[in-house]
Amino acid sequence: MRVKDQLRFVRQNMKKNKTRIFMTVLATAIGCAFLIVLASIGFGLQESIVKEITEDRAVTEIEVHGKTNDDDYQSITDKEVSELESIKNVKAVTRHQNLQQGASYTIGQYQSGGAQTVVTDFPSEVRSGFKLSDGRLPKKENEIIVGYDFVNGLEPVGTKPDDLYGKDGAVNSKYRYKENLIGKTIQMKVVQNKNGKEEEKVIPLTVVGIGQDPGKKWVMNQNVFISSQVLSQIEQFTGTEKGAVRSGDSEEDLSPQDQNTYDEIKVYADNVEDVNGIVDQLDKKQYLSYSIVSELKQINMVFNVLKVGLILVGTIAIVIASIGIYNTMTMAVTERSPDIGIMKAIGANPKTIKRIFLLESSYIAIMGAIVGTVVAYIVSFGVNLALPPILAKVFKQDLPANLMFSYIPWILPIICIAICFLVTIASGMRPATRATKVDVLKALRREV
């Protein structure tokens, strides 16, 4: 009996009991849909958390916080920077020195007191992906670059109206500095306590570039990037490292050091695949490092365990549905005993008979799995669309914009179909085996 004939025989027999087959397929579809939707919760939450973590940080970025030497903490200097740059697959090493006081900046009748002053190495910044929205990189010691939101932090001198600041913390548009900053001279003021009095120094700086828009509403970049020569002027005036302000009676030695020490070091890998290798080398060299890839590795491990657990729980629904398949196939063997008897009488191979009933159970499994998968996608879409606003109203607070309660990757339906297929084959095996043992004479007399 050819496979084509076997399939046609199966379809004809299934049409004879449409209601029972429909209910069995429905039970299988419900089981598959339950498994996929349940497991999709684990995939969805994982997707949301990973997206939240990686959204505002580069996945190729490795933060280096220092180095240990015989259990003693050691700051990063130019020597360590050179060592970091020599590591294989490192694209760039950015280093920041932060001014240790809040310098104020004035341009005309506007001032900014909330900007962070930073000294950086621009060639390494460019290699790491730093870009400008306007202007160029500095070429002279008194030229600076300001962050994209620096202009939004400039406020009128001497006035503090109630509506000066908006909800985002920036100066309201009607009070903002309206001109283009490129080419403008800004007066930088630093202070120091000397002989019981506060003295100040004003350094004129020229804006030649504006940093790129961070691209995220909650991120504001008001940094001012100055040259190392300007930092040296500040240290000469304050007599302290990085312009730290002395308290009145402090005897702490804050004198500038002979070598540069950096407050923020970031190592950038050529690609994501190289990050773990670089982190391993940093660990061997006793650097204190943090990588988002390492964090994601731990998060993925937790969610993998969760997803396996959810899939196992969902499998129980398919196992329950398989009881209906077992019952359907057992009834099919009983009802079709005359047909089985005729096939055996004309010389049909027992393996062929067994294969026919296994094909029927497979048909049920595949139809149920396909319907269940379609239903699961519909439910998943509905959950992601309707649940967030409902929860927001119930708990009276906004949920994260990227929160995804259900996510169905392509591998999940395949896993579900495979589980469903195996379970239904197992449940149809005994009735199919029983069909091969039907006695021909009893079957023809309908005594089975």
Side-chain angles (χ1 to χ4, degrees):
M1 193 174 185
R2 295 178 300 177
V3 175
K4 183 179 179 180
D5 297 329
Q6 294 176 27
L7 293 173
R8 186 173 65 252
F9 183 74
V10 167
R11 287 195 295 270
Q12 290 174 350
N13 287 327
M14 292 177 68
K15 290 178 182 179
K16 294 178 181 178
N17 295 285
K18 292 182 179 179
T19 303
R20 188 167 65 208
I21 295 296
F22 172 78
M23 296 304 295
T24 306
V25 170
L26 180 62
T28 306
I30 292 173
C32 287
F34 178 75
L35 187 155
I36 294 175
V37 172
L38 188 64
S40 73
I41 296 173
F43 283 97
L45 293 177
Q46 181 185 18
E47 188 79 6
S48 298
I49 292 175
V50 169
K51 189 177 291 184
E52 181 73 19
I53 292 173
T54 58
E55 194 168 44
D56 59 343
R57 285 181 284 181
V59 292
T60 58
E61 178 184 286
I62 305 168
E63 298 176 8
V64 179
H65 301 287
K67 189 176 183 180
T68 56
N69 187 9
D70 297 330
D71 296 329
D72 293 330
Y73 175 80
Q74 176 183 332
S75 298
I76 303 297
T77 65
D78 290 324
K79 178 183 176 182
E80 283 73 38
V81 169
S82 298
E83 183 179 30
L84 292 172
E85 288 178 328
S86 67
I87 295 176
K88 186 179 180 182
N89 297 322
V90 169
K91 180 172 66 175
V93 178
T94 61
R95 52 272 202 185
H96 289 178
Q97 291 176 290
N98 299 328
L99 190 67
Q100 299 303 305
Q101 65 168 284
S104 63
Y105 296 90
T106 305
I107 176 170
Q109 296 301 311
Y110 291 83
Q111 66 179 6
S112 173
Q116 172 69 52
T117 307
V118 179
V119 179
T120 188
D121 178 67
F122 280 108
S124 62
E125 292 283 351
V126 172
R127 288 196 299 273
S128 71
F130 180 83
K131 295 180 180 178
L132 298 176
S133 62
D134 194 9
R136 59 172 174 81
L137 294 176
K139 296 178 181 178
K140 301 178 181 179
E141 65 179 56
N142 68 328
E143 294 180 340
I144 62 171
I145 286 179
V146 297
Y148 184 83
D149 299 297
F150 176 82
V151 69
N152 296 334
L154 290 172
E155 57 189 53
V157 176
T159 58
K160 292 284 184 180
D162 294 336
D163 60 343
L164 178 61
Y165 298 104
K167 293 181 180 180
D168 59 355
V171 176
N172 270 325
S173 58
K174 63 181 178 180
Y175 298 114
R176 287 180 186 174
Y177 184 79
K178 299 293 193 300
E179 299 180 34
N180 189 346
L181 283 176
I182 299 297
K184 295 293 191 299
T185 298
I186 291 182
Q187 306 296 328
M188 174 187 186
K189 184 177 75 174
V190 293
V191 299
Q192 182 58 287
N193 292 319
K194 295 183 178 181
N195 301 320
K197 296 181 179 180
E198 182 179 276
E199 297 185 10
E200 61 183 46
K201 179 180 178 63
V202 176
I203 304 174
L205 303 170
T206 303
V207 179
V208 296
I210 299 174
Q212 191 177 37
D213 183 359
K216 301 172 182 64
K217 293 182 179 180
W218 63 91
V219 178
M220 294 185 66
N221 183 1
Q222 296 186 358
N223 291 348
V224 176
F225 297 94
I226 63 174
S227 65
S228 58
Q229 292 89 342
V230 173
L231 179 62
S232 297
Q233 291 183 46
I234 296 172
E235 290 180 333
Q236 288 175 8
F237 166 71
T238 61
T240 57
E241 185 179 11
K242 300 173 187 174
V245 179
R246 295 183 186 276
S247 58
D249 55 353
S250 174
E251 297 182 358
E252 184 181 358
D253 183 16
L254 299 175
S255 301
Q257 303 297 312
D258 294 332
Q259 56 183 347
N260 292 326
T261 57
Y262 297 100
D263 302 298
E264 184 179 319
I265 295 286
K266 292 182 180 179
V267 176
Y268 290 85
D270 288 328
N271 51 63
V272 178
E273 290 74 17
D274 297 325
V275 172
N276 285 328
I278 293 174
V279 170
D280 291 339
Q281 292 186 60
L282 293 176
D283 291 341
K284 291 179 182 177
K285 296 177 184 292
Q286 296 184 307
Y287 283 98
L288 303 173
S289 64
Y290 164 79
S291 166
I292 191 174
V293 173
S294 301
E295 183 178 344
L296 290 177
K297 186 177 180 181
Q298 297 175 357
I299 292 173
N300 288 334
M301 185 182 300
V302 172
F303 274 101
N304 285 339
V305 173
L306 174 63
K307 289 184 289 187
V308 170
L310 292 174
I311 289 173
L312 290 176
V313 172
T315 302
I316 294 174
I318 296 180
V319 171
I320 294 173
S322 71
I323 297 173
I325 295 176
Y326 176 83
N327 179 63
T328 297
M329 299 311 301
T330 301
M331 292 294 294
V333 171
T334 302
E335 292 173 351
R336 297 171 200 163
S337 56
D339 296 336
I340 296 171
I342 293 172
M343 285 191 294
K344 294 186 76 174
I346 60 177
N349 193 310
K351 290 183 178 180
T352 301
I353 298 173
K354 185 176 182 179
R355 189 183 302 119
I356 288 172
F357 283 93
L358 289 179
L359 279 173
E360 186 169 337
S361 63
S362 300
Y363 253 92
I364 295 172
I366 292 172
M367 286 191 295
I370 292 173
V371 173
T373 300
V374 173
V375 171
Y377 271 104
I378 294 172
V379 172
S380 177
F381 177 78
V383 166
N384 289 327
L385 184 66
L387 198 55
I390 293 174
L391 292 179
K393 288 184 178 180
V394 171
F395 295 105
K396 296 181 179 179
Q397 62 180 141
D398 294 333
L399 298 176
N402 294 323
L403 184 59
M404 189 182 299
F405 287 97
S406 177
Y407 171 67
I408 304 176
W410 63 269
I411 191 66
L412 187 54
I414 292 177
I415 292 174
C416 175
I417 292 172
I419 292 174
C420 183
F421 187 78
L422 292 174
V423 170
T424 52
I425 287 295
S427 62
M429 185 64 71
R430 192 169 185 277
T433 303
R434 182 186 170 192
T436 63
K437 298 178 180 179
V438 170
D439 183 84
V440 176
L441 296 178
K442 291 182 178 180
L444 294 176
R445 290 199 303 265
R446 297 177 180 269
E447 294 178 1
V448 177

